[in-house]
Amino acid sequence: MLKQLLAVAPHKAQLDYYEDREINEDEVKVKVEFAAPKHGSELAGFRGESPHINDYYDEDWHTFLPRDEKESKGVEFGKWNLGNQWVGRIIQVGSKVTDYKLGDRVCSYGGIRETHIVNAINNFYLLKMPEEMSWKNALCFDPAQFALGGIRDSQLKLGDRVAVIGLGAIGQLAVQLAKLAGASFVAAIDPIEKRRKTAVHSGADIALDPIQQDIGLELKKLTNKLGVDVIIETSANERALQQALRGLAYGGTIAYVGWARPFKGGLDFGREAHFNNAKLVFSRACSEPNPDYPRWSWRRIEEVCWKILSEGLVSCEDIIDPVVPFVDSAFAYEEYVDRNPRKSVKLGIDLTDQ
């Protein structure tokens, strides 16, 4: 029987069996080769900490409201197939499908499992991959969107000095995209050594450790007391935001990309934020309308990201790390995503031996 990776309880993952149904005439079946989870919002659900568990975001009211007592929770442990994106090859094609054929290499959204059955008519999210495209680049399609959204929302200009705080997949891609956008200097900031090294290898001019260094002051020292023009904040840590406000140039912009939990201290708007005319922009690429609507939309961001990734304008070879076999995915998810994120940047799962 086929297997999939499930969240069976908070902090607990497990491989379990499933059966595929017959595909419909408008669908294709894909044998998955590689997959990856989402380390941010997905991890909050895995830990039982997501605001979506007991509440939901109402698109009409634009606010969180409590779920009805009879309604399913936002996370159903024992049923939730962990994972964000996958890459694979089409092994079965429905009779009405004309845009895809057997053997096509594709990428889409979905859980970590051996197969996926997907609608294949007018489905933007069933993305065809050039044969030469790296599977690691494809699996970074989701974080690339939020990195690009942050870069655009920050109004980064040619020659700007930039700091990226938080070097998970979004932060790593923000480093590369900032350089691609013309930043003259990029500082990469994270307490995890592995992630700092990855960022420098990918083009950051310097990497800083917020545990050992006064980040705000270091950014001022590196810029002759001026501070950086733009900060892309992906860590969602209140102390990181405080340091961002300290290290930002007068009138500069912080694009707040990270998905925050309730702050418990370490943030004081009565200090640099009050004196330095900082601009704080909350950035979420998939929120519509886009700040640059109607010229830009989430779909345009998606299209640009896929082009950048498929043409190899950025590299995700060091971002998807470590890569583990599917048989070890439950342990790896608990170890590298939940318990010890210092050992990873973005976990990759290899299903090619299944």
Side-chain angles (χ1 to χ4, degrees), residues 207-224:
L208 304 173
D209 180 356
I211 303 299
Q212 302 296 328
Q213 296 169 283
D214 182 335
I215 295 302
L217 189 59
E218 287 298 320
L219 291 175
K220 293 291 176 68
K221 288 178 180 178
L222 289 164
T223 55
N224 195 26

PDB file of all heavy atoms in Angstrom, residues 207-224:
ATOM      1  N   ALA A 207      27.436  38.046   7.405  1.00  0.00           N
ATOM      2  CA  ALA A 207      26.430  37.375   8.228  1.00  0.00           C
ATOM      3  C   ALA A 207      26.689  37.729   9.683  1.00  0.00           C
ATOM      4  O   ALA A 207      27.844  37.722  10.139  1.00  0.00           O
ATOM      5  CB  ALA A 207      26.483  35.864   8.020  1.00  0.00           C
ATOM      6  N   LEU A 208      25.619  38.031  10.407  1.00  0.00           N
ATOM      7  CA  LEU A 208      25.717  38.458  11.797  1.00  0.00           C
ATOM      8  C   LEU A 208      24.920  37.526  12.696  1.00  0.00           C
ATOM      9  O   LEU A 208      23.875  37.001  12.305  1.00  0.00           O
ATOM     10  CB  LEU A 208      25.194  39.886  11.949  1.00  0.00           C
ATOM     11  CG  LEU A 208      25.866  40.953  11.069  1.00  0.00           C
ATOM     12  CD1 LEU A 208      25.136  42.282  11.204  1.00  0.00           C
ATOM     13  CD2 LEU A 208      27.332  41.100  11.422  1.00  0.00           C
ATOM     14  N   ASP A 209      25.434  37.351  13.924  1.00  0.00           N
ATOM     15  CA  ASP A 209      24.826  36.461  14.905  1.00  0.00           C
ATOM     16  C   ASP A 209      24.159  37.299  15.996  1.00  0.00           C
ATOM     17  O   ASP A 209      24.853  37.958  16.781  1.00  0.00           O
ATOM     18  CB  ASP A 209      25.906  35.560  15.513  1.00  0.00           C
ATOM     19  CG  ASP A 209      25.352  34.601  16.558  1.00  0.00           C
ATOM     20  OD1 ASP A 209      24.146  34.663  16.874  1.00  0.00           O
ATOM     21  OD2 ASP A 209      26.149  33.778  17.065  1.00  0.00           O
ATOM     22  N   PRO A 210      22.828  37.309  16.084  1.00  0.00           N
ATOM     23  CA  PRO A 210      22.152  38.159  17.075  1.00  0.00           C
ATOM     24  C   PRO A 210      22.361  37.706  18.522  1.00  0.00           C
ATOM     25  O   PRO A 210      22.072  38.476  19.436  1.00  0.00           O
ATOM     26  CB  PRO A 210      20.677  38.053  16.673  1.00  0.00           C
ATOM     27  CG  PRO A 210      20.572  36.750  15.969  1.00  0.00           C
ATOM     28  CD  PRO A 210      21.870  36.560  15.250  1.00  0.00           C
ATOM     29  N   ILE A 211      22.857  36.498  18.705  1.00  0.00           N
ATOM     30  CA  ILE A 211      23.149  36.047  20.067  1.00  0.00           C
ATOM     31  C   ILE A 211      24.454  36.672  20.565  1.00  0.00           C
ATOM     32  O   ILE A 211      24.577  37.044  21.736  1.00  0.00           O
ATOM     33  CB  ILE A 211      23.247  34.506  20.128  1.00  0.00           C
ATOM     34  CG1 ILE A 211      21.949  33.864  19.622  1.00  0.00           C
ATOM     35  CG2 ILE A 211      23.555  34.045  21.555  1.00  0.00           C
ATOM     36  CD1 ILE A 211      20.721  34.218  20.408  1.00  0.00           C
ATOM     37  N   GLN A 212      25.403  36.812  19.677  1.00  0.00           N
ATOM     38  CA  GLN A 212      26.737  37.289  20.054  1.00  0.00           C
ATOM     39  C   GLN A 212      26.959  38.771  19.751  1.00  0.00           C
ATOM     40  O   GLN A 212      27.914  39.357  20.244  1.00  0.00           O
ATOM     41  CB  GLN A 212      27.814  36.468  19.317  1.00  0.00           C
ATOM     42  CG  GLN A 212      27.755  34.977  19.575  1.00  0.00           C
ATOM     43  CD  GLN A 212      28.019  34.622  21.023  1.00  0.00           C
ATOM     44  OE1 GLN A 212      28.783  35.311  21.711  1.00  0.00           O
ATOM     45  NE2 GLN A 212      27.389  33.554  21.506  1.00  0.00           N
ATOM     46  N   GLN A 213      26.109  39.362  18.909  1.00  0.00           N
ATOM     47  CA  GLN A 213      26.346  40.725  18.452  1.00  0.00           C
ATOM     48  C   GLN A 213      25.122  41.612  18.670  1.00  0.00           C
ATOM     49  O   GLN A 213      23.992  41.142  18.652  1.00  0.00           O
ATOM     50  CB  GLN A 213      26.708  40.709  16.952  1.00  0.00           C
ATOM     51  CG  GLN A 213      28.012  39.979  16.651  1.00  0.00           C
ATOM     52  CD  GLN A 213      28.194  39.742  15.161  1.00  0.00           C
ATOM     53  OE1 GLN A 213      27.570  38.850  14.588  1.00  0.00           O
ATOM     54  NE2 GLN A 213      29.052  40.543  14.534  1.00  0.00           N
ATOM     55  N   ASP A 214      25.392  42.891  18.871  1.00  0.00           N
ATOM     56  CA  ASP A 214      24.354  43.904  18.951  1.00  0.00           C
ATOM     57  C   ASP A 214      24.010  44.297  17.515  1.00  0.00           C
ATOM     58  O   ASP A 214      24.685  45.115  16.891  1.00  0.00           O
ATOM     59  CB  ASP A 214      24.879  45.110  19.740  1.00  0.00           C
ATOM     60  CG  ASP A 214      23.841  46.207  19.904  1.00  0.00           C
ATOM     61  OD1 ASP A 214      22.919  46.297  19.068  1.00  0.00           O
ATOM     62  OD2 ASP A 214      23.967  46.993  20.858  1.00  0.00           O
ATOM     63  N   ILE A 215      22.969  43.699  16.974  1.00  0.00           N
ATOM     64  CA  ILE A 215      22.693  43.810  15.544  1.00  0.00           C
ATOM     65  C   ILE A 215      22.431  45.247  15.112  1.00  0.00           C
ATOM     66  O   ILE A 215      22.959  45.719  14.093  1.00  0.00           O
ATOM     67  CB  ILE A 215      21.496  42.911  15.160  1.00  0.00           C
ATOM     68  CG1 ILE A 215      21.852  41.435  15.385  1.00  0.00           C
ATOM     69  CG2 ILE A 215      21.092  43.152  13.713  1.00  0.00           C
ATOM     70  CD1 ILE A 215      23.070  40.953  14.623  1.00  0.00           C
ATOM     71  N   GLY A 216      21.614  45.963  15.861  1.00  0.00           N
ATOM     72  CA  GLY A 216      21.328  47.339  15.490  1.00  0.00           C
ATOM     73  C   GLY A 216      22.583  48.175  15.403  1.00  0.00           C
ATOM     74  O   GLY A 216      22.798  48.918  14.436  1.00  0.00           O
ATOM     75  N   LEU A 217      23.444  48.047  16.399  1.00  0.00           N
ATOM     76  CA  LEU A 217      24.682  48.819  16.419  1.00  0.00           C
ATOM     77  C   LEU A 217      25.633  48.367  15.321  1.00  0.00           C
ATOM     78  O   LEU A 217      26.289  49.190  14.669  1.00  0.00           O
ATOM     79  CB  LEU A 217      25.355  48.696  17.792  1.00  0.00           C
ATOM     80  CG  LEU A 217      26.553  49.619  18.046  1.00  0.00           C
ATOM     81  CD1 LEU A 217      26.143  51.083  17.896  1.00  0.00           C
ATOM     82  CD2 LEU A 217      27.128  49.354  19.434  1.00  0.00           C
ATOM     83  N   GLU A 218      25.703  47.049  15.074  1.00  0.00           N
ATOM     84  CA  GLU A 218      26.582  46.537  14.017  1.00  0.00           C
ATOM     85  C   GLU A 218      26.162  47.073  12.655  1.00  0.00           C
ATOM     86  O   GLU A 218      27.001  47.422  11.821  1.00  0.00           O
ATOM     87  CB  GLU A 218      26.578  45.003  14.010  1.00  0.00           C
ATOM     88  CG  GLU A 218      27.322  44.356  15.159  1.00  0.00           C
ATOM     89  CD  GLU A 218      28.802  44.704  15.167  1.00  0.00           C
ATOM     90  OE1 GLU A 218      29.413  44.751  14.075  1.00  0.00           O
ATOM     91  OE2 GLU A 218      29.335  44.942  16.265  1.00  0.00           O
ATOM     92  N   LEU A 219      24.851  47.131  12.399  1.00  0.00           N
ATOM     93  CA  LEU A 219      24.382  47.655  11.123  1.00  0.00           C
ATOM     94  C   LEU A 219      24.744  49.132  10.967  1.00  0.00           C
ATOM     95  O   LEU A 219      25.061  49.589   9.862  1.00  0.00           O
ATOM     96  CB  LEU A 219      22.875  47.454  10.978  1.00  0.00           C
ATOM     97  CG  LEU A 219      22.406  46.004  10.817  1.00  0.00           C
ATOM     98  CD1 LEU A 219      20.881  45.928  10.801  1.00  0.00           C
ATOM     99  CD2 LEU A 219      22.979  45.361   9.562  1.00  0.00           C
ATOM    100  N   LYS A 220      24.710  49.873  12.055  1.00  0.00           N
ATOM    101  CA  LYS A 220      25.123  51.279  12.007  1.00  0.00           C
ATOM    102  C   LYS A 220      26.630  51.390  11.762  1.00  0.00           C
ATOM    103  O   LYS A 220      27.089  52.224  10.969  1.00  0.00           O
ATOM    104  CB  LYS A 220      24.736  51.982  13.304  1.00  0.00           C
ATOM    105  CG  LYS A 220      23.226  52.131  13.512  1.00  0.00           C
ATOM    106  CD  LYS A 220      22.623  53.106  12.525  1.00  0.00           C
ATOM    107  CE  LYS A 220      21.116  53.221  12.635  1.00  0.00           C
ATOM    108  NZ  LYS A 220      20.658  53.848  13.872  1.00  0.00           N
ATOM    109  N   LYS A 221      27.415  50.535  12.404  1.00  0.00           N
ATOM    110  CA  LYS A 221      28.868  50.557  12.199  1.00  0.00           C
ATOM    111  C   LYS A 221      29.223  50.234  10.745  1.00  0.00           C
ATOM    112  O   LYS A 221      30.138  50.818  10.173  1.00  0.00           O
ATOM    113  CB  LYS A 221      29.543  49.535  13.119  1.00  0.00           C
ATOM    114  CG  LYS A 221      29.551  49.916  14.595  1.00  0.00           C
ATOM    115  CD  LYS A 221      30.203  48.803  15.407  1.00  0.00           C
ATOM    116  CE  LYS A 221      30.238  49.125  16.888  1.00  0.00           C
ATOM    117  NZ  LYS A 221      30.832  47.999  17.676  1.00  0.00           N
ATOM    118  N   LEU A 222      28.497  49.284  10.169  1.00  0.00           N
ATOM    119  CA  LEU A 222      28.788  48.847   8.793  1.00  0.00           C
ATOM    120  C   LEU A 222      28.379  49.886   7.746  1.00  0.00           C
ATOM    121  O   LEU A 222      28.765  49.778   6.578  1.00  0.00           O
ATOM    122  CB  LEU A 222      28.068  47.530   8.509  1.00  0.00           C
ATOM    123  CG  LEU A 222      28.610  46.291   9.233  1.00  0.00           C
ATOM    124  CD1 LEU A 222      27.610  45.154   9.187  1.00  0.00           C
ATOM    125  CD2 LEU A 222      29.938  45.866   8.616  1.00  0.00           C
ATOM    126  N   THR A 223      27.616  50.879   8.159  1.00  0.00           N
ATOM    127  CA  THR A 223      27.100  51.886   7.211  1.00  0.00           C
ATOM    128  C   THR A 223      27.477  53.302   7.632  1.00  0.00           C
ATOM    129  O   THR A 223      26.779  54.266   7.309  1.00  0.00           O
ATOM    130  CB  THR A 223      25.572  51.769   7.095  1.00  0.00           C
ATOM    131  OG1 THR A 223      24.996  51.880   8.406  1.00  0.00           O
ATOM    132  CG2 THR A 223      25.164  50.437   6.483  1.00  0.00           C
ATOM    133  N   ASN A 224      28.606  53.437   8.356  1.00  0.00           N
ATOM    134  CA  ASN A 224      29.098  54.757   8.781  1.00  0.00           C
ATOM    135  C   ASN A 224      28.019  55.532   9.543  1.00  0.00           C
ATOM    136  O   ASN A 224      27.764  56.711   9.297  1.00  0.00           O
ATOM    137  CB  ASN A 224      29.588  55.564   7.573  1.00  0.00           C
ATOM    138  CG  ASN A 224      30.432  56.762   7.971  1.00  0.00           C
ATOM    139  OD1 ASN A 224      31.049  56.770   9.035  1.00  0.00           O
ATOM    140  ND2 ASN A 224      30.444  57.795   7.130  1.00  0.00           N
TER     141      ASN A 224
END
